[in-house]
Short mmCIF file of all heavy atoms in Angstrom, two decimals:
data_model
loop_
_atom_site.label_atom_id
_atom_site.label_comp_id
_atom_site.label_asym_id
_atom_site.label_seq_id
_atom_site.Cartn_x
_atom_site.Cartn_y
_atom_site.Cartn_z
N VAL K 15 12.37 15.87 26.79
CA VAL K 15 13.12 14.61 26.85
C VAL K 15 12.15 13.44 26.84
O VAL K 15 12.32 12.48 26.08
CB VAL K 15 14.02 14.57 28.12
CG1 VAL K 15 14.69 13.22 28.27
CG2 VAL K 15 15.04 15.69 28.08
N ARG K 16 11.13 13.53 27.65
CA ARG K 16 10.12 12.45 27.71
C ARG K 16 9.40 12.32 26.38
O ARG K 16 9.15 11.21 25.90
CB ARG K 16 9.13 12.76 28.84
CG ARG K 16 8.05 11.73 28.98
CD ARG K 16 8.59 10.45 29.58
NE ARG K 16 7.48 9.52 29.72
CZ ARG K 16 7.54 8.26 29.35
NH1 ARG K 16 8.64 7.76 28.85
NH2 ARG K 16 6.50 7.48 29.49
N SER K 17 9.10 13.43 25.75
CA SER K 17 8.42 13.41 24.46
C SER K 17 9.29 12.70 23.42
O SER K 17 8.80 11.90 22.61
CB SER K 17 8.11 14.84 24.02
OG SER K 17 7.55 14.84 22.74
N GLN K 18 10.57 13.00 23.42
CA GLN K 18 11.50 12.35 22.47
C GLN K 18 11.60 10.86 22.75
O GLN K 18 11.63 10.05 21.82
CB GLN K 18 12.88 13.00 22.58
CG GLN K 18 13.93 12.40 21.68
CD GLN K 18 13.65 12.62 20.21
OE1 GLN K 18 12.94 13.54 19.83
NE2 GLN K 18 14.20 11.77 19.37
N GLN K 19 11.64 10.47 24.00
CA GLN K 19 11.72 9.05 24.34
C GLN K 19 10.47 8.30 23.87
O GLN K 19 10.57 7.20 23.33
CB GLN K 19 11.89 8.89 25.85
CG GLN K 19 13.25 9.31 26.36
CD GLN K 19 13.33 9.34 27.87
OE1 GLN K 19 12.31 9.38 28.56
NE2 GLN K 19 14.55 9.32 28.40
N VAL K 20 9.32 8.90 24.06
CA VAL K 20 8.07 8.27 23.62
C VAL K 20 8.04 8.17 22.10
O VAL K 20 7.64 7.14 21.54
CB VAL K 20 6.85 9.06 24.15
CG1 VAL K 20 5.56 8.56 23.52
CG2 VAL K 20 6.77 8.94 25.67
N ALA K 21 8.48 9.22 21.41
CA ALA K 21 8.51 9.19 19.95
C ALA K 21 9.45 8.10 19.44
O ALA K 21 9.13 7.39 18.48
CB ALA K 21 8.92 10.56 19.41
N ARG K 22 10.61 7.96 20.07
CA ARG K 22 11.56 6.91 19.67
C ARG K 22 10.98 5.53 19.89
O ARG K 22 11.12 4.64 19.05
CB ARG K 22 12.86 7.05 20.47
CG ARG K 22 13.89 7.90 19.80
CD ARG K 22 15.27 7.67 20.42
NE ARG K 22 15.21 7.37 21.83
CZ ARG K 22 15.94 7.98 22.76
NH1 ARG K 22 16.77 8.93 22.43
NH2 ARG K 22 15.84 7.63 24.01
N ARG K 23 10.32 5.35 21.02
CA ARG K 23 9.71 4.05 21.31
C ARG K 23 8.63 3.73 20.28
O ARG K 23 8.56 2.61 19.77
CB ARG K 23 9.09 4.05 22.71
CG ARG K 23 8.49 2.71 23.05
CD ARG K 23 7.63 2.78 24.33
NE ARG K 23 6.92 1.55 24.54
CZ ARG K 23 5.80 1.21 23.90
NH1 ARG K 23 5.27 2.00 23.02
NH2 ARG K 23 5.20 0.06 24.16
N ASN K 24 7.80 4.70 19.95
CA ASN K 24 6.76 4.49 18.94
C ASN K 24 7.37 4.13 17.59
O ASN K 24 6.86 3.26 16.88
CB ASN K 24 5.89 5.74 18.80
CG ASN K 24 4.99 5.94 20.00
OD1 ASN K 24 4.78 5.04 20.79
ND2 ASN K 24 4.46 7.14 20.13
N ALA K 25 8.47 4.78 17.23
CA ALA K 25 9.13 4.48 15.97
C ALA K 25 9.69 3.06 15.97
O ALA K 25 9.59 2.35 14.96
CB ALA K 25 10.24 5.49 15.70
N MET K 26 10.27 2.63 17.08
CA MET K 26 10.81 1.27 17.15
C MET K 26 9.70 0.23 17.06
O MET K 26 9.85 -0.79 16.38
CB MET K 26 11.61 1.08 18.44
CG MET K 26 12.95 1.79 18.42
SD MET K 26 14.01 1.38 19.82
CE MET K 26 13.14 2.15 21.17
N VAL K 27 8.59 0.48 17.72
CA VAL K 27 7.45 -0.44 17.66
C VAL K 27 6.93 -0.52 16.23
O VAL K 27 6.64 -1.61 15.72
CB VAL K 27 6.34 -0.01 18.65
CG1 VAL K 27 5.06 -0.78 18.41
CG2 VAL K 27 6.82 -0.19 20.08
N SER K 28 6.83 0.62 15.56
CA SER K 28 6.36 0.65 14.18
C SER K 28 7.30 -0.10 13.26
O SER K 28 6.86 -0.86 12.39
CB SER K 28 6.21 2.09 13.69
OG SER K 28 5.23 2.76 14.45
N CYS K 29 8.59 0.11 13.43
CA CYS K 29 9.58 -0.60 12.60
C CYS K 29 9.50 -2.11 12.80
O CYS K 29 9.60 -2.88 11.85
CB CYS K 29 10.99 -0.11 12.90
SG CYS K 29 11.34 1.52 12.23
N THR K 30 9.31 -2.52 14.02
CA THR K 30 9.19 -3.94 14.32
C THR K 30 7.96 -4.52 13.65
O THR K 30 8.01 -5.60 13.05
CB THR K 30 9.14 -4.17 15.84
OG1 THR K 30 10.32 -3.62 16.43
CG2 THR K 30 9.03 -5.64 16.18
N ALA K 31 6.84 -3.81 13.74
CA ALA K 31 5.60 -4.29 13.12
C ALA K 31 5.75 -4.36 11.60
O ALA K 31 5.31 -5.34 10.97
CB ALA K 31 4.44 -3.37 13.50
N LEU K 32 6.37 -3.36 11.00
CA LEU K 32 6.56 -3.37 9.55
C LEU K 32 7.50 -4.49 9.12
O LEU K 32 7.27 -5.15 8.10
CB LEU K 32 7.10 -2.02 9.07
CG LEU K 32 6.10 -0.87 9.11
CD1 LEU K 32 6.80 0.44 8.77
CD2 LEU K 32 4.95 -1.13 8.17
N ALA K 33 8.54 -4.74 9.87
CA ALA K 33 9.46 -5.83 9.54
C ALA K 33 8.74 -7.18 9.62
O ALA K 33 8.96 -8.05 8.77
CB ALA K 33 10.66 -5.81 10.49
N GLU K 34 7.89 -7.35 10.61
CA GLU K 34 7.11 -8.58 10.74
C GLU K 34 6.18 -8.76 9.55
O GLU K 34 6.06 -9.85 9.00
CB GLU K 34 6.31 -8.55 12.05
CG GLU K 34 5.44 -9.76 12.27
CD GLU K 34 6.22 -11.05 12.48
OE1 GLU K 34 7.40 -11.00 12.83
OE2 GLU K 34 5.62 -12.12 12.29
N ARG K 35 5.52 -7.69 9.14
CA ARG K 35 4.64 -7.77 7.97
C ARG K 35 5.41 -8.10 6.70
O ARG K 35 4.96 -8.89 5.87
CB ARG K 35 3.87 -6.47 7.78
CG ARG K 35 2.79 -6.29 8.80
CD ARG K 35 1.98 -5.05 8.51
NE ARG K 35 1.00 -4.85 9.54
CZ ARG K 35 0.06 -3.93 9.49
NH1 ARG K 35 0.00 -3.11 8.46
NH2 ARG K 35 -0.80 -3.81 10.46
N ARG K 36 6.59 -7.49 6.54
CA ARG K 36 7.42 -7.81 5.37
C ARG K 36 7.85 -9.27 5.38
O ARG K 36 7.85 -9.93 4.35
CB ARG K 36 8.65 -6.91 5.33
CG ARG K 36 8.39 -5.59 4.69
CD ARG K 36 9.71 -4.85 4.44
NE ARG K 36 9.59 -3.53 5.03
CZ ARG K 36 10.20 -3.12 6.12
NH1 ARG K 36 11.03 -3.89 6.75
NH2 ARG K 36 10.00 -1.91 6.58
N ARG K 37 8.20 -9.78 6.55
CA ARG K 37 8.60 -11.19 6.66
C ARG K 37 7.43 -12.11 6.31
O ARG K 37 7.60 -13.08 5.57
CB ARG K 37 9.09 -11.48 8.08
CG ARG K 37 9.69 -12.88 8.24
CD ARG K 37 10.04 -13.18 9.68
NE ARG K 37 8.87 -13.18 10.56
CZ ARG K 37 7.97 -14.18 10.63
NH1 ARG K 37 8.10 -15.24 9.87
NH2 ARG K 37 6.94 -14.11 11.45
N GLU K 38 6.25 -11.79 6.82
CA GLU K 38 5.08 -12.60 6.52
C GLU K 38 4.76 -12.56 5.03
O GLU K 38 4.40 -13.58 4.44
CB GLU K 38 3.88 -12.12 7.34
CG GLU K 38 3.97 -12.46 8.81
CD GLU K 38 2.83 -11.89 9.62
OE1 GLU K 38 1.95 -11.21 9.04
OE2 GLU K 38 2.80 -12.11 10.84
N LEU K 39 4.86 -11.39 4.43
CA LEU K 39 4.60 -11.25 3.00
C LEU K 39 5.58 -12.09 2.19
O LEU K 39 5.19 -12.78 1.23
CB LEU K 39 4.69 -9.78 2.58
CG LEU K 39 4.47 -9.49 1.10
CD1 LEU K 39 3.08 -9.90 0.66
CD2 LEU K 39 4.71 -8.02 0.81
N ALA K 40 6.84 -12.07 2.58
CA ALA K 40 7.85 -12.87 1.88
C ALA K 40 7.54 -14.37 2.03
O ALA K 40 7.67 -15.13 1.06
CB ALA K 40 9.24 -12.56 2.43
N GLU K 41 7.10 -14.79 3.21
CA GLU K 41 6.75 -16.19 3.41
C GLU K 41 5.56 -16.60 2.54
O GLU K 41 5.56 -17.68 1.94
CB GLU K 41 6.42 -16.46 4.88
CG GLU K 41 7.61 -16.51 5.79
CD GLU K 41 7.21 -16.78 7.24
OE1 GLU K 41 6.01 -16.93 7.53
OE2 GLU K 41 8.12 -16.82 8.09
N VAL K 42 4.56 -15.75 2.46
CA VAL K 42 3.38 -16.05 1.64
C VAL K 42 3.77 -16.12 0.16
O VAL K 42 3.36 -17.03 -0.56
CB VAL K 42 2.27 -15.00 1.88
CG1 VAL K 42 1.16 -15.14 0.85
CG2 VAL K 42 1.71 -15.14 3.28
N GLU K 43 4.58 -15.16 -0.29
CA GLU K 43 5.02 -15.18 -1.68
C GLU K 43 5.83 -16.44 -1.99
O GLU K 43 5.66 -17.05 -3.04
CB GLU K 43 5.83 -13.94 -2.00
CG GLU K 43 5.00 -12.69 -2.09
CD GLU K 43 5.83 -11.44 -2.32
OE1 GLU K 43 7.08 -11.51 -2.24
OE2 GLU K 43 5.23 -10.39 -2.58
N GLU K 44 6.69 -16.84 -1.06
CA GLU K 44 7.49 -18.05 -1.25
C GLU K 44 6.59 -19.28 -1.32
O GLU K 44 6.77 -20.15 -2.17
CB GLU K 44 8.49 -18.18 -0.10
CG GLU K 44 9.41 -19.37 -0.21
CD GLU K 44 10.36 -19.46 0.97
OE1 GLU K 44 10.78 -18.41 1.47
OE2 GLU K 44 10.67 -20.59 1.38
N PHE K 45 5.61 -19.35 -0.42
CA PHE K 45 4.68 -20.49 -0.42
C PHE K 45 3.89 -20.55 -1.72
O PHE K 45 3.77 -21.62 -2.33
CB PHE K 45 3.71 -20.39 0.77
CG PHE K 45 2.61 -21.40 0.71
CD1 PHE K 45 2.84 -22.71 1.09
CD2 PHE K 45 1.35 -21.04 0.26
CE1 PHE K 45 1.82 -23.65 1.03
CE2 PHE K 45 0.33 -21.97 0.20
CZ PHE K 45 0.56 -23.28 0.58
N LEU K 46 3.35 -19.42 -2.15
CA LEU K 46 2.55 -19.41 -3.37
C LEU K 46 3.41 -19.76 -4.59
O LEU K 46 2.95 -20.45 -5.50
CB LEU K 46 1.88 -18.06 -3.56
CG LEU K 46 0.77 -17.73 -2.55
CD1 LEU K 46 0.23 -16.33 -2.77
CD2 LEU K 46 -0.35 -18.76 -2.62
N SER K 47 4.63 -19.29 -4.61
CA SER K 47 5.54 -19.61 -5.71
C SER K 47 5.83 -21.11 -5.75
O SER K 47 5.79 -21.73 -6.82
CB SER K 47 6.83 -18.82 -5.55
OG SER K 47 7.77 -19.21 -6.51
N ALA K 48 6.11 -21.69 -4.60
CA ALA K 48 6.38 -23.13 -4.53
C ALA K 48 5.13 -23.93 -4.91
O ALA K 48 5.22 -24.94 -5.62
CB ALA K 48 6.85 -23.50 -3.13
N HIS K 49 3.98 -23.47 -4.47
CA HIS K 49 2.73 -24.15 -4.79
C HIS K 49 2.46 -24.10 -6.29
O HIS K 49 2.08 -25.11 -6.88
CB HIS K 49 1.57 -23.52 -4.01
CG HIS K 49 0.25 -24.16 -4.27
ND1 HIS K 49 -0.05 -25.43 -3.83
CD2 HIS K 49 -0.84 -23.71 -4.94
CE1 HIS K 49 -1.28 -25.73 -4.21
NE2 HIS K 49 -1.78 -24.71 -4.89
#
């Protein structure tokens, strides 16, 4: 049970980090396009 909880938490942290990177990439692409 504890192992599954830790794995789920790690997956959520990873998803959050990836979403943040995707958002930053989209912002950079938008800025460069506008520039």
Side-chain angles (χ1 to χ4, degrees):
V15 174
R16 180 73 178 133
S17 176
Q18 178 66 23
Q19 289 171 341
V20 170
R22 268 197 327 230
R23 182 191 172 281
N24 289 343
M26 287 189 291
V27 169
S28 297
C29 286
T30 302
L32 288 173
E34 179 66 20
R35 287 185 183 187
R36 275 191 233 108
R37 187 186 63 76
E38 288 176 359
L39 179 62
E41 285 180 0
V42 169
E43 287 177 351
E44 183 181 325
F45 171 79
L46 291 176
S47 174
H49 180 70

